[in-house]
Amino acid sequence: MHATRTLAEADRLMTVCNSCRYCEGLCAVFPAMEMRRAFSDGDLNYLANLCHACGACYVDCQFAPPHEFNVNVPKTLAAVRADSWATYAWPRALAHLFANNGVVIRLVTMLSLAAFIVGFAVFNDQKDLFGTHTGPGAFYALMPHKAMAALFGIIFLYAILALAMGVRAFWRDIGDPADTRVSTSAILQAIRDAATLRYLDGGGVGCFNADERPTDRRKLSHHLTFYGFLLCFAATCVATLYHYLLGREAPYAWWDLPVVLGTLGGLGLVIGPIGLLAARWRRDSALVEQKNSGMDIAFVLMLLLTSLTGLALLVWRDTAAMGLLLIVHLGFVSALFITMPYGKFVHGIYRFVALVRYAQERRAVSGEAAEE
Ligand code: SF4
Ligand code: SF4
């Protein structure tokens, strides 16, 4: 018995696929499936998070609709995947935030923007708020650095804690309890697979869209988004080191490392999300789990708007618009981090953990084969 009908459907499909095995060369899901004869809820959550939703196994499947077997692996695994994030969410009381996630993210963003508008208006007079501030410490004329660091530090640490607790529950559920230690080689393999999006290629031809012509555009957009996010994070880390170790206050010159990293990352976080939205638009609706649409689109839009407002702040920071742009950018950044453990962001974390598990399983199997 499975906890949900979606898991029961995934079990049915994996049982069909395990007899067929036509798709075993396409991605990691099918080889991982073949290591099992029966599928617990944890197994199915693991397989669902290994799936990169390239669509190849749907296009290749002789049992896809209208066949009576009605095999649609990408769509079913997408539904299981989204449910799994709610299953492992921490604290449990907030698991329901994954349902109607688009509305939740809109609401949190509006509240966050409102809080910054009120906060800036209360603690600054109109002359400062709409005045021109330049040179080191210009941002902190409107919001003290200590207040900014404390607020975002708390939000960030909470997000890390919530994500870590969720991953802990996931890891325990998808692994043999006696074998939950993580090997360094499995982590390195998973980092390589995640960094190159090894399994987002439809078995080598690319992702499938409505016209069944595979392309690599979705993979490229995903790379731009992911590395853009990493560069922006690196820019924040370098700026923090500048502040505390060198006593140098933001904003920095355009050629300084935090600005260069932030600008490159920001551009990636504009082009990538636009590409992902376009790819979603072109995608075959048979592959899309409509229930997840709000969550998928809200997350990509949050990345895009956070990046656009950050770039706008960079361009107009020496003008009287700086106060307003700072409010809007900080409002989006805080909403992004508050909702991080309860939205699509978690897919990258859970997929990485599934890749670690897969690398570990592969090594265990090849080790056993070598011993024989
Ligand atoms: S998706 Fe279809 S073709 Fe591929 S393994 Fe499953 S049943 Fe076979
Ligand atoms: S959609 Fe792509 S990644 Fe997912 S199971 Fe099918 S072939 Fe594998």
Side-chain angles (χ1 to χ4, degrees), residues 32-86:
M33 172 199 76
E34 289 172 14
M35 292 180 212
R36 291 158 172 80
R37 293 292 169 271
F39 304 97
S40 67
D41 287 359
D43 290 331
L44 294 165
N45 288 336
Y46 160 56
L47 296 174
N49 281 285
L50 260 189
C51 170
H52 287 52
C54 71
C57 63
Y58 178 78
V59 175
D60 288 356
C61 183
Q62 61 270 39
F63 304 122
H67 191 282
E68 61 184 323
F69 284 5
N70 194 28
V71 173
N72 187 337
V73 175
K75 186 171 175 175
T76 304
L77 292 190
V80 171
R81 197 159 53 241
D83 288 351
S84 75
W85 304 332

Side-chain angles (χ1 to χ4, degrees), residues 22 167 212 338 357:
Y22 179 75
V167 162
E212 294 197 1
I338 288 169
R357 176 77 186 136

Side-chain angles (χ1 to χ4, degrees), residues 293-306:
S293 292
M295 170 159 59
D296 295 350
I297 294 170
F299 175 61
V300 177
L301 280 178
M302 280 300 287
L303 291 175
L304 180 60
L305 291 169
T306 304

